[in-house]
Amino acid sequence: MTVFEYVMVLVSVILSLGIAKLLENHAELMKRGPSVRWSPTYLLWLVIIFFSHVDLWGSLWMIRDQHVWTLLSLLTVLSAAASLFYAAVLSVPDLEPGQDVDLWQFHLQNRRRYVTALMGYLILGAALNMTVMIGHFDMATATGTLPGIALCLAAIFIPNRWVQIAAPILIAALMTIYFLNYFATLTG
């Protein structure tokens, strides 16, 4: 096995655990039916966290031919995966039997935790793009990452309802543009 294959196995396990947590919790919320007050803003954050998991996995595929891995690059990749795992775990409410769940209130009370973890991934992703993934980094990546970090900061520190609604919408739009531009690199 190559170093890349070892790294991808470990990263895939971490990412799989995060995705499983998101899916399991969402299914549990769906089973609760009317005792859940749904929030489109909260759900959009979950979608962003889910697709960030896919982004890391797909981005690493672009460097599958890299044979040399430094300890720093390995730790950065693992930290990015761990950051996404934390975002997934921190973004889901603890579900108590028989207790109603208000996802908008959950978001307002817990956004700092999971949005900070997501922002950590964006920062680590930028570091990966500038170091490990040299040759795959360009200004389009930077123009999506920096606004994404700024929008995360706004969501963390500005409790205004419209900021809380606009931040994930704009991040989702940036991610959509990113995926449309870079999806072809997965098959390259």
Side-chain angles (χ1 to χ4, degrees), residues 17 21 26 36 44 114 123 138 145 159 187:
L17 289 170
K21 183 67 173 176
H26 188 258
V36 176
L44 191 52
Y114 62 85
I123 292 167
D138 58 19
T145 301
T187 60

Side-chain angles (χ1 to χ4, degrees), residues 92-110:
V92 297
D94 294 326
L95 300 173
E96 302 294 329
Q99 187 178 36
D100 289 351
V101 179
D102 183 334
L103 293 174
W104 174 252
Q105 286 305 312
F106 176 82
H107 166 71
L108 292 177
Q109 294 166 2
N110 294 279

